[in-house]
Amino acid sequence: MFTISLCMIVKNEECIIERCLDSVQHLVDEINIIDTGSTDRTKDIVRSYTSRIFDFTWCDDFAKARNFSFQQATKDFILWLDADDVITTEHQRKFLQLKQSLYHPNVDAVSMDYYVTLDADGCVESSEKRFRLVKRDRNFQWQGAVHEYLDVTGQLYHSDIAVTHLPRKIDIHRNINIYERLKKDGHPFSARETFHYANELKLHQRFLEAINHYTSFLDSTKGTADEHIEACLNLADCYQQLNDAKQATQAILQSLLYDRPRPETCCRIGHFFMEQMKNKEAIYWYSQALHQPIEQTMGIQKHAYSTWHPHFQLSLLYNRLRLFENAHQHNEEARKYKPKDQRILDNRTYLLTQLKK
């Protein structure tokens, strides 16, 4: 069985650091905490878990901080987490099974699901895969001052273990401030940095600037298919905010150039036809959303578009056609995923009334 070093970078995490460490301390053989300038009780709390606490002077560069954290590791593999991450009991068991059964000499990195956002009922809204566990002697390096990524190669293993993100209040200005400092300093943005900077501009409702950077990213032809598809859909959102429906539609259709239709793309095309009262065409595209295979990619997966959302829209469309049995079936499917959603419950009451007539 291999050994694991946990490496974390933290700052002023007194409210949540125990939650994270409690969920992982029995899974790892060493805990390394890199503090980037805490002024609260973070270090005092951490001392009850480990004496391996290192100071790192913050320099607006997450990759440098994470690479420093990896340098402190001494075990076979490195696990990295943020303070607002947890591993639930179910996935702790899976983690221990992996640690006991994985033939580690043949594996350089292990991916895990990352539950990025949860809905009000605790169900996963969006997720992505990240390489969480990496072989220390491969000396993998982090890249990027912000939205950093770990550049891994070799023998890769995809696990079914998940890490759950449970954030407290987020500083939405932090990332864009780092990007704009880099821009002011004359740092040449890579295609990936251009894409993520566009995302930050969109978040801050600077839609025209975001459009320019998404377009620049797409024109570069660099980046992954997932990034190109997400850029197209975000570009469509920007045009929609500027009331340019034609350009928004073209951006959605452009996403079809990079890969098979993703469920979100299918739903957006379905919405386009639904708005025009082209019910059969809309039914086709929402049905396609349900039939698309779930891609095992490193990109963001928005679960609504392959589960309850197309079912609910299909229910509304079949209701328009007065095909109440079909409408009820799809509404019931939607209810399996969103049992407390008031729109689905109200629609159910209406359809049951119609079926009794």
Side-chain angles (χ1 to χ4, degrees):
M1 186 166 65
F2 56 91
T3 56
I4 300 174
S5 295
L6 172 66
C7 292
M8 298 175 60
I9 59 173
V10 304
K11 181 180 179 180
N12 291 338
E13 308 289 3
E14 66 178 6
C15 296
I16 55 176
I17 190 72
E18 287 179 284
R19 183 184 67 187
C20 174
L21 293 175
D22 283 344
S23 77
V24 74
Q25 62 175 332
H26 60 293
L27 306 178
V28 300
D29 305 281
E30 174 183 88
I31 297 175
N32 299 288
I33 303 296
I34 284 65
D35 191 280
T36 63
S38 292
T39 56
D40 65 359
R41 294 182 55 253
T42 297
K43 284 185 177 181
D44 293 334
I45 294 169
V46 167
R47 286 190 184 97
S48 65
Y49 295 89
T50 182
S51 61
R52 296 180 62 80
I53 303 172
F54 306 88
D55 290 317
F56 179 85
T57 302
W58 182 242
C59 57
D60 274 355
D61 193 317
F62 280 92
K64 287 182 180 179
R66 291 205 191 275
N67 285 330
F68 177 80
S69 76
F70 275 26
Q71 290 167 13
Q72 315 314 315
T74 67
K75 304 304 180 183
D76 299 326
F77 277 75
I78 299 171
L79 172 70
W80 66 275
L81 294 173
D82 291 325
D84 54 6
D85 295 333
V86 297
I87 301 178
T88 63
T89 302
E90 173 192 357
H91 292 283
Q92 290 170 23
R93 288 195 293 267
K94 291 182 179 181
F95 194 108
L96 286 172
Q97 289 171 1
L98 175 82
K99 190 175 179 181
Q100 293 165 1
S101 62
L102 184 70
Y103 185 63
H104 62 276
N106 290 345
V107 175
D108 295 305
V110 178
S111 74
M112 300 180 187
D113 290 319
Y114 189 39
Y115 295 162
V116 181
T117 58
L118 308 179
D119 65 16
D121 299 320
C123 298
V124 181
E125 282 189 328
S126 63
S127 66
E128 62 182 330
K129 284 195 172 291
R130 294 186 177 181
F131 286 103
R132 287 283 180 181
L133 196 62
V134 298
K135 190 172 287 183
R136 181 175 63 88
D137 63 15
R138 287 299 310 273
N139 195 32
F140 293 129
Q141 295 294 297
W142 288 89
Q143 308 287 337
V146 64
H147 290 294
E148 69 280 12
Y149 69 99
L150 189 56
D151 190 13
V152 301
T153 56
Q155 296 298 312
L156 309 177
Y157 179 82
H158 296 289
S159 77
D160 63 349
I161 302 166
V163 175
T164 301
H165 185 220
L166 297 175
R168 53 179 180 170
K169 188 176 180 181
I170 298 171
D171 177 6
I172 66 168
H173 303 295
R174 182 194 66 189
N175 291 346
I176 198 167
N177 287 340
I178 295 175
Y179 278 127
E180 296 195 330
R181 179 188 61 77
L182 291 171
K183 187 177 179 181
K184 183 179 179 181
D185 292 345
H187 172 79
F189 280 11
S190 66
R192 188 177 187 278
E193 287 170 326
T194 300
F195 166 65
H196 283 289
Y197 182 42
N199 289 343
E200 295 297 332
L201 290 167
K202 174 176 176 280
L203 176 65
H204 286 78
Q205 300 183 23
R206 292 161 59 178
F207 300 117
L208 286 174
E209 294 174 84
I211 286 169
N212 288 335
H213 283 81
Y214 283 129
T215 302
S216 176
F217 167 71
L218 292 168
D219 287 346
S220 75
T221 71
K222 296 180 180 179
T224 66
D226 288 315
E227 288 170 339
H228 281 87
I229 291 168
E230 186 177 346
C232 289
L233 299 180
N234 289 347
L235 186 59
D237 289 338
C238 292
Y239 280 122
Q240 201 70 51
Q241 290 292 329
L242 297 174
N243 297 312
D244 191 338
K246 181 178 180 181
Q247 290 288 346
T249 302
Q250 289 179 352
I252 293 168
L253 295 176
Q254 185 178 345
S255 73
L256 298 173
L257 298 175
Y258 302 106
D259 203 355
R260 289 179 296 180
R262 300 294 167 84
E264 182 175 359
T265 303
C266 294
C267 286
R268 286 177 179 244
I269 298 174
H271 179 73
F272 170 78
F273 285 113
M274 191 174 183
E275 291 267 285
Q276 299 180 63
M277 301 300 291
K278 294 183 177 180
N279 299 320
K280 292 182 180 179
E281 292 86 346
I283 286 171
Y284 171 83
W285 282 103
Y286 280 118
S287 298
Q288 287 298 307
L290 293 169
H291 295 142
Q292 293 303 312
I294 303 301
E295 301 286 344
Q296 292 298 312
T297 69
M298 303 302 287
I300 287 281
Q301 301 285 341
K302 299 177 182 177
H303 296 257
Y305 293 111
S306 57
T307 57
W308 71 269
H309 180 70
H311 277 299
F312 182 63
Q313 297 298 89
L314 284 166
S315 178
L316 299 179
L317 287 160
Y318 280 117
N319 179 52
R320 284 183 182 179
L321 299 175
R322 303 192 67 76
L323 297 172
F324 298 121
E325 184 63 42
N326 297 55
H328 177 64
Q329 289 174 359
H330 280 289
N331 198 73
E332 290 301 288
E333 289 298 317
R335 195 164 69 94
K336 290 179 183 178
Y337 297 100
K338 299 279 283 186
K340 298 179 182 178
D341 190 290
Q342 197 58 49
R343 295 168 301 169
I344 295 172
L345 294 174
D346 290 344
N347 194 44
R348 183 174 191 263
T349 300
Y350 166 77
L351 291 171
L352 288 172
T353 301
Q354 295 300 315
L355 287 169
K356 290 177 181 177
K357 289 183 179 179

